[in-house]
Amino acid sequence: MSEIINDKQSVAIHAANLVEDGMLVGLGTGSTANYFIEALARRKQEEQLQFSTVSSSVVSMMKAQQLGLDLVAIEHIRQLDLYVDGADEVSPEMSLLKGRGFDLVKEKLLAKASEQFYVLIDNSKLVIRIGEVFPIPVEVTPFSWQMVLRSLQQIGGEGELRKNTAGDGLAITSHGSLVLDMTFDSSLEAVELNMELNAIPGVVEHGIFYQLATHVFMAKDGVVVER
Ligand code: 5RP
């Protein structure tokens, strides 16, 4: 009996098949990224494909380690060939919203340092406007959150500090930051929001990935298309 493959797996397998011998590949974080790591590990085992990886989070590092992938520490690299990750939202002009997890900083660093950035989605992630479905995560240094929130409110944002999973405390990112989950007026486009958020002191990173994706691959009912 053949294994049932969902859309996240289909698109992950498609991307893994595009990896070439000798590449340094960045591993994203999330369920789609996990499927990609599994598909890469299969290619290494079955085809003896040679490549190194760098992870965007402890979770993807552990997954890669368990599957026997060669890992390079992020501190040791200046650039990479390919970064592969999922996203929460993708707009028609290939802006992304990411960061429902806690690893925005490394994710954006790797996306920026990479020759190619493949974004892997199913069709539930397509939106007209970034921020349409999810709030925009804004990572802040803990001592600055009130001042950052005020700056965000001055550009029309509304939001609050993210709670931890149990709901009895605050969520803390991998880098010890707090997260403000923000919504903005629908007239503000990703390009403007990206500029505004980049300019606020105390913001460590935010979830808008503007002009970073080189390819968006989307699976729908098992068929993978490039957007
Ligand atoms: C983590 C992310 C993920 O890539 C995004 O949340 C998508 O996750 P999934 O592949 O599980 O749907 O941005 O910061």
Side-chain angles (χ1 to χ4, degrees):
M1 208 168 62
S2 65
E3 191 191 349
I4 296 172
I5 290 185
N6 64 38
D7 281 340
K8 287 184 177 184
Q9 277 173 294
S10 302
V11 74
I13 292 167
H14 179 86
N17 285 336
L18 299 173
V19 173
E20 293 169 15
D21 257 322
M23 278 185 165
L24 174 58
V25 183
L27 307 174
T29 301
S31 56
T32 318
N34 278 344
Y35 286 131
F36 172 74
I37 297 169
E38 287 168 10
L40 258 189
R42 268 197 302 277
R43 285 200 66 200
K44 178 179 158 96
Q45 199 182 22
E46 291 167 10
E47 302 169 36
Q48 285 74 52
L49 188 73
Q50 303 284 323
F51 57 89
S52 306
T53 63
V54 52
S55 68
S56 60
S57 64
V58 173
V59 174
S60 65
M61 181 197 74
M62 284 168 66
K63 179 99 185 157
Q65 251 173 358
Q66 278 160 11
L67 294 171
L69 300 190
D70 293 331
L71 276 158
V72 181
I74 194 165
E75 290 84 346
H76 295 164
I77 66 160
R78 287 165 57 90
Q79 59 187 74
L80 57 158
D81 299 300
L82 175 63
Y83 180 57
V84 182
D85 204 350
D88 299 309
E89 295 181 359
V90 177
S91 73
E93 81 286 0
M94 293 192 358
S95 293
L96 317 176
L97 183 68
K98 289 183 51 56
R100 298 308 304 156
F102 296 100
D103 296 287
L104 265 180
V105 174
K106 282 189 187 160
E107 289 178 350
K108 203 179 272 189
L109 268 174
L110 291 176
K112 175 77 180 163
S114 190
E115 196 72 32
Q116 310 261 9
F117 173 19
Y118 294 174
V119 182
L120 312 183
I121 56 167
D122 60 29
N123 75 324
S124 70
K125 308 288 182 75
L126 289 181
V127 295
I128 300 298
R129 178 184 70 83
I130 291 301
E132 192 176 298
V133 180
F134 291 106
I136 295 167
V138 181
E139 265 198 50
V140 294
T141 49
F143 53 79
S144 69
W145 78 269
Q146 298 214 68
M147 283 187 252
V148 173
L149 180 58
R150 179 167 172 268
S151 299
L152 294 169
Q153 286 166 338
Q154 284 171 338
I155 56 167
E158 282 177 33
E160 57 186 7
L161 286 172
R162 189 183 290 180
K163 298 268 191 329
N164 64 11
T165 320
D168 58 2
L170 296 176
I172 313 280
T173 72
S174 310
H175 308 284
S177 311
L178 300 177
V179 182
L180 288 163
D181 280 320
M182 302 298 301
T183 54
F184 292 90
D185 191 285
S186 60
S187 63
L188 274 174
E189 298 290 336
V191 54
E192 298 163 284
L193 275 174
N194 181 53
M195 261 178 352
E196 296 278 8
L197 298 181
N198 286 347
I200 298 176
V203 170
V204 176
E205 198 43 273
H206 59 82
I208 297 176
F209 283 45
Y210 181 70
Q211 288 188 334
L212 289 173
T214 57
H215 298 73
V216 174
F217 295 107
M218 184 187 82
K220 182 165 188 267
D221 302 329
V223 178
V224 177
V225 289
E226 185 171 350
R227 301 277 314 164

